[in-house]
Amino acid sequence: MGKVAAVVLAAGKGTRMKSEKAKVLFPLAGRPMLQHIVDILIEIGVDDIYTVVGYEAGTVQASIAGPITWVEQREQLGTGHALAQAAAYLGDFPGVVLVLAGDMPLITEATLKELLTRHAQEGNAATVLSARVPDPTGYGRVVRSADGRLKAIVEEKDADDRQRQVDEINSAIYCFDWGRAGALMSRLGRDNAQGEYYLTEIISLLAGDKDKLGIHVAADHREVMGINDRVQLAQAEKILRRRICHKLMREGVSVLDPDSTWIDADVRIARDTTILPNTQIKGQTTIGGNSVIGPSVTIQASALGEGVCVQYAVLEGATVEDGVSVGPFAYLRPGAVVGRQAKIGDFVEIKNSRIGPGTKVPHLAYVGDAEVGANSNIGCGVITANYDGASKQKTTIGDGVFIGSNANLVAPVRVGDNAYVAAGSTVTEDVPPRALAIARTRQTNKADWRKKD
Ligand code: UD1
Ligand code: CA
């Protein structure tokens, strides 16, 4: 294949989203729509990626990663005008220009490759990716001649009744032989229902010049779905999430209920892990093999090892090492690091703390800004009082420590290796290794406290 430059049109506001945010930044499976397209273009290995931005250009540029040449379109005068801005950069580019809209993130690498191949094999001046859809409302319609050749693309607002009946739509993805199409940019007009420069007019101009045009019909119309409003966004999200679950299953991960499982595009899960229903795994999360996640777990930007079991829990920015069990009803907040084979049980919150290997925090505890050693036991109802009203203080607990039920550890405080803290103690001073700290008043029983009736 010769040289290929891609131009992504992403300057529009996306009026139908009814948002201040640029449409192409709306996330889908945890990534901005536009990022999905850029990532596919990187994967198919195009030579250059130009992205046309306008509305909220600075925010769009800052939110998208990749080897992109940004092209500014100051006024959004239509898709033809957007491509014309990129034409200034393309000059007399000696190859194929692949044009895509920034609002169709379901397109796949395979379909783009098929389009490029057909374009090259047929030697076309332009090849349009089309699709037959159950409901063509809102899309530009493909107009073919009696012998099936591409003649024009007519926008819905410009279409007559007969054209509106056509169920073959323009995807807004095209291949152009730039030597032929580039020369037409200055001939685009805005004499249409929307008063815009339509990119699609290139097709009728080429047809008029008797240039060779081709069509590639997408096998799966869902791939070319354009996202214009939040209803379509939700539909696309569902399709993409289903695809992600299927891919994981093919790679050896069991997803018991794909309908209630939400896994972001950047998540990595190793083989023989099982994902139970009502689970959301988001951001740059990694999960090792042979783990069981769910039911009802939300994990965000966390790293989990192998053989981990997490149920009914929320994890954010946490690190969970091999063989750890979390939940039910646990909350691991940013900076929680749980060592191998440790257990975090029910109604436990861990924040910015390291829990050593083999340590158990089985129930009803808060551990914040703490360092806990190996094989210690943090009893039921224990809390680290880490906040003095002004700043956060650290609690350090050694190896083999036993903290009795309902103890308060008032930070800053240290409990040495193999020490004991008696149940109900409020510890305000350091406990030496192997000592027993008792920090509570002795019980007195007042005899005959209640008078006889
Ligand atoms: C466009 C096509 C239509 C096709 C549909 C597929 C045209 C005239 N129409 O319509 O045939 O069926 O996509 O989804 O091309 N953009 C700019 N600058 C502009 C205007 C738009 O960069 O001045 C960008 C938008 O950000 C968007 C893309 O171009 O990513 C498409 O624009 P949009 O307004 O959504 O076009 P449609 O009306 O959907
Ligand atoms: Ca659109």
Side-chain angles (χ1 to χ4, degrees):
M1 202 177 292
K3 275 194 157 303
V4 179
V7 178
V8 186
L9 308 182
K13 179 177 184 187
T15 316
R16 288 163 278 183
M17 295 307 271
K18 306 273 166 67
S19 172
E20 295 309 308
K21 181 155 93 175
K23 174 169 77 173
V24 292
L25 291 186
F26 272 80
L28 211 63
R31 259 189 216 160
M33 273 190 221
L34 179 55
Q35 188 71 60
H36 286 276
I37 294 174
V38 168
D39 289 351
I40 288 179
L41 293 172
I42 294 170
E43 268 175 49
I44 62 174
V46 297
D47 297 290
D48 304 293
I49 303 174
Y50 297 92
T51 302
V52 184
V53 285
Y55 180 76
E56 285 283 312
T59 316
V60 175
Q61 290 179 41
S63 311
I64 305 296
I68 299 167
T69 304
W70 297 100
V71 176
E72 200 175 347
Q73 184 194 23
R74 288 212 174 77
E75 261 186 296
Q76 282 75 63
L77 302 178
T79 49
H81 182 256
L83 182 60
Q85 310 311 301
Y89 288 74
L90 287 161
D92 47 12
F93 177 76
V96 174
V97 173
L98 171 66
V99 177
L100 311 92
D103 64 349
M104 37 183 317
L106 297 180
I107 191 68
T108 61
E109 205 183 317
T111 302
L112 289 183
K113 280 188 178 154
E114 284 163 19
L115 174 69
L116 284 162
T117 305
R118 179 181 295 252
H119 178 78
Q121 281 174 352
E122 294 181 356
N124 296 327
T127 312
V128 174
L129 179 68
S130 76
R132 293 202 177 274
V133 297
D135 177 11
T137 311
Y139 288 99
R141 309 296 205 280
V142 172
V143 179
R144 293 178 184 249
S145 60
D147 59 0
R149 279 181 306 169
L150 175 60
K151 262 175 49 188
I153 292 166
V154 181
E155 292 307 296
E156 172 151 296
K157 288 185 177 137
D158 301 288
D160 58 34
D161 286 344
R162 205 171 42 86
Q163 289 166 334
R164 282 205 189 98
Q165 302 302 313
V166 173
D167 67 353
E168 184 180 15
I169 59 108
N170 168 30
S171 69
I173 297 184
Y174 325 79
C175 284
F176 293 114
D177 169 41
W178 195 244
R180 283 182 275 179
L184 299 175
M185 297 311 297
S186 58
R187 283 170 58 190
L188 300 181
R190 56 200 294 192
D191 181 18
N192 53 56
Q194 302 184 81
E196 288 180 2
Y197 295 97
Y198 290 165
L199 189 169
T200 45
E201 199 191 342
I202 298 176
I203 302 301
S204 20
L205 290 174
L206 287 169
D209 289 352
K210 305 266 179 288
D211 263 304
K212 196 166 177 222
L213 300 173
I215 300 187
H216 182 67
V217 187
D220 181 352
H221 69 85
R222 291 171 302 183
E223 279 190 28
V224 304
M225 175 182 178
I227 295 173
N228 298 307
D229 61 29
R230 297 181 198 235
V231 173
Q232 290 169 325
L233 183 69
Q235 289 164 345
E237 180 89 36
K238 193 165 184 176
I239 294 167
L240 194 57
R241 296 213 175 269
R242 178 59 70 110
R243 260 193 219 163
I244 292 170
C245 285
H246 284 187
K247 181 166 181 280
L248 284 166
M249 288 187 262
R250 286 194 203 97
E251 290 168 358
V253 175
S254 290
V255 179
L256 265 53
D257 180 26
D259 284 337
S260 71
T261 304
W262 289 49
I263 300 177
D264 276 357
D266 292 326
V267 170
R268 298 286 167 267
I269 305 177
R271 287 166 86 132
D272 287 322
T273 281
T274 300
I275 311 295
L276 299 175
N278 288 321
T279 291
Q280 298 184 56
I281 307 176
K282 306 196 280 189
Q284 308 265 347
T285 292
T286 56
I287 301 176
N290 290 303
S291 293
V292 180
I293 309 297
S296 299
V297 166
T298 299
I299 302 177
Q300 164 80 38
S302 296
L304 282 65
E306 285 185 24
V308 161
C309 172
V310 184
Q311 49 177 326
Y312 299 97
V314 176
L315 280 63
E316 289 166 11
T319 303
V320 174
E321 294 176 359
D322 297 350
V324 166
S325 143
V326 178
F329 312 111
Y331 185 18
L332 301 189
R333 291 169 54 198
V337 179
V338 184
R340 292 170 69 97
Q341 309 291 337
K343 177 184 161 68
I344 306 299
D346 52 278
F347 306 102
V348 171
E349 175 176 338
I350 311 277
K351 186 215 79 168
N352 187 34
S353 296
R354 170 171 266 285
I355 307 295
T359 285
K360 294 185 168 60
V361 191
H363 10 242
L364 296 157
Y366 170 62
V367 180
D369 304 306
E371 184 89 33
V372 183
N375 302 314
S376 289
N377 196 305
I378 310 295
C380 181
V382 168
I383 62 150
T384 53
N386 59 326
Y387 185 51
D388 59 14
S391 54
K392 301 287 165 63
Q393 306 291 343
K394 188 171 179 182
T395 301
T396 307
I397 298 171
D399 296 338
V401 169
F402 182 95
I403 310 281
S405 295
N406 226 32
N408 300 313
L409 303 170
V410 182
V413 72
R414 308 174 75 92
V415 182
D417 291 346
N418 303 308
Y420 283 70
V421 169
S425 293
T426 293
V427 176
T428 54
E429 283 164 33
D430 290 357
V431 182
R434 288 183 293 107
L436 165 66
I438 307 175
R440 51 169 141 89
T441 48
R442 254 179 199 290
Q443 180 171 336
T444 26
N445 291 337
K446 310 266 188 200
D448 298 324
W449 177 250
R450 177 165 172 171
K451 299 281 176 282
K452 280 199 175 128
D453 296 323

